[in-house]
Amino acid sequence: MQPSPQPTPESRQLRTVALSGLLGTAVEFYDFLVYGTVAALVFGDLFFPEADPAVGTVAAFGTFAAGYLARPLGGILFGHFGDRVGRKSMMLLTMLLMGSGSFLIGLLPTYDAIGVWAPVLLVLLRVVQGVAIGGEWGGATLMVVEHAERTQGTRRGLWSSFTQLGAPLGSLLSAGVVTLVSALPDDDFRSWGWRVPFLLSVVLLGVGLFVRLKVAESPLFTKPAPRERPPVLEVLRRPKPVVLAACVGIGAFTAQSLLTSFMISYAVDEGYSRPQVLTAVTVASAVALLVLPTASALSDRVGRRPVVLTGALASAALAFPVLALVDSGSPGLLILALALGHGVAQSTMYGPLGALLTEMFGTRVRYTGASLGYQAATLVGAGFSPLIASGLLASNGGGSTPVSLLLCCGAAITALTVWRIRETHTDTLEPGTIRSATPTPEGTPR
């Protein structure tokens, strides 16, 4: 029998980079979802008492700014230095800021202890986290894709899915931890139990930093290339690829936001208990762990566009049935609804995005361009859709039709954008300035 081939240094490094991307995105989504869930449970009383109008103003501004508006700023900031200085150092810094911010939130005194400084410090930490998150995904994803280019060029989609898998993994971890601590007696949960999920983020942070310290710089970035104007200026000089990158991701983030964080409050208002909703989110995240790599691997064979388009069409087709299942009042049908809408349809759209967005930009502006496109999609799709849905539900007097229509609108934007971009899965990621996102007669980059 022939001995099995030994892994090369390049293949071992690729696995380390993929694990690094997985852990980074897991920290991001763990922090985001823990904050959203715990804030819904106790932060209103502990940090933003309604009796103080000044604190209410700080809360409204801080929640809005820290949640999403800080992310594009992080994409520009870390994208600039990632394209100028290197990917690895920015990846270490973004993970450190994300994890440290979450850990410090777990140590914050409440309003009763230090007054208005409690919400001010909470807002400040959320802004820091938002900036860090803005730079995290772009660096983690393109590092995996650029390393995969050298040894697994035809499987960039599959390898980039490890970064995307951090989303459902972070959801699973956050739902599990919050479910455990929310089972505490109410007084214990309000006094110290809510801090536990934030403090536990230091474990993910430690493991993530340990892995990232072993990661080598991107082999494409280290190739010599001529110095150009600042990456953000180069990208915005020809903004069409960024606009298309943002639009192609809107459907996935609209579905993700409406079927996870927004769905928790919506389903509870419909009469479900919070453990029932968290269980449904957990099952949907487990389904996504299977669908994401499958969709990404399929995109390596048939192309990014057909897979993303299939997910968008499925999301639109399932929009009204999914909300009808939620409105049924059955916990089993709630689980089925989120498994179909989030675990299958949304994950099919989301899986190939990592490879697709990084392939739309040249090496010297890839960090900036991919980050800006991705974070703009999160701002529009995930940032505004829950606010719009809540407003429509209030004005409509109830009923899930507005939520279904928003899901359809997001999916339609993605589907139309897929029609406008060209296929990229067979491209070579040669160093360059910027790539065209639209088709040419020959089907090659302009």
Side-chain angles (χ1 to χ4, degrees), residues 230-419:
V232 66
L233 296 181
E234 185 64 33
V235 169
L236 295 180
R237 187 170 68 92
R238 288 184 283 175
K240 190 173 184 179
V242 175
V243 174
L244 291 174
C247 289
V248 80
I250 284 177
F253 287 110
T254 299
Q256 182 184 71
S257 181
L258 292 179
L259 297 177
T260 53
S261 56
F262 174 79
M263 188 54 61
I264 292 175
S265 60
Y266 177 83
V268 169
D269 290 342
E270 290 295 306
Y272 294 96
S273 68
R274 194 168 298 277
Q276 288 173 335
V277 182
L278 289 174
T279 298
V281 173
T282 301
V283 172
S285 298
V287 173
L289 285 173
L290 300 175
V291 175
L292 273 170
T294 303
S296 301
L298 184 62
S299 76
D300 287 328
R301 289 183 171 272
V302 304
R304 318 291 184 217
R305 297 172 69 214
V307 177
V308 175
L309 180 60
T310 299
L313 294 177
S315 183
L318 289 170
F320 284 92
V322 160
L323 268 297
L325 291 175
V326 174
D327 291 340
S328 70
S330 167
L333 293 181
L334 173 67
I335 292 174
L336 177 62
L338 297 192
L340 290 174
H342 176 54
V344 177
Q346 189 274 342
S347 297
T348 302
M349 280 190 288
Y350 184 64
L353 278 186
L356 176 59
L357 266 59
T358 55
E359 290 163 354
M360 292 173 68
F361 299 92
T363 300
R364 289 293 154 176
V365 296
R366 185 170 292 132
Y367 202 142
T368 302
S371 295
L372 272 179
Y374 184 89
Q375 300 306 335
T378 65
L379 175 61
V380 177
F384 292 145
S385 56
L387 296 175
I388 297 172
S390 299
L392 291 175
L393 286 174
S395 62
N396 193 45
S400 60
T401 299
V403 183
S404 299
L405 289 174
L406 277 177
L407 286 170
C408 289
C409 288
I413 293 173
T414 292
L416 290 173
T417 307
V418 168
W419 175 67

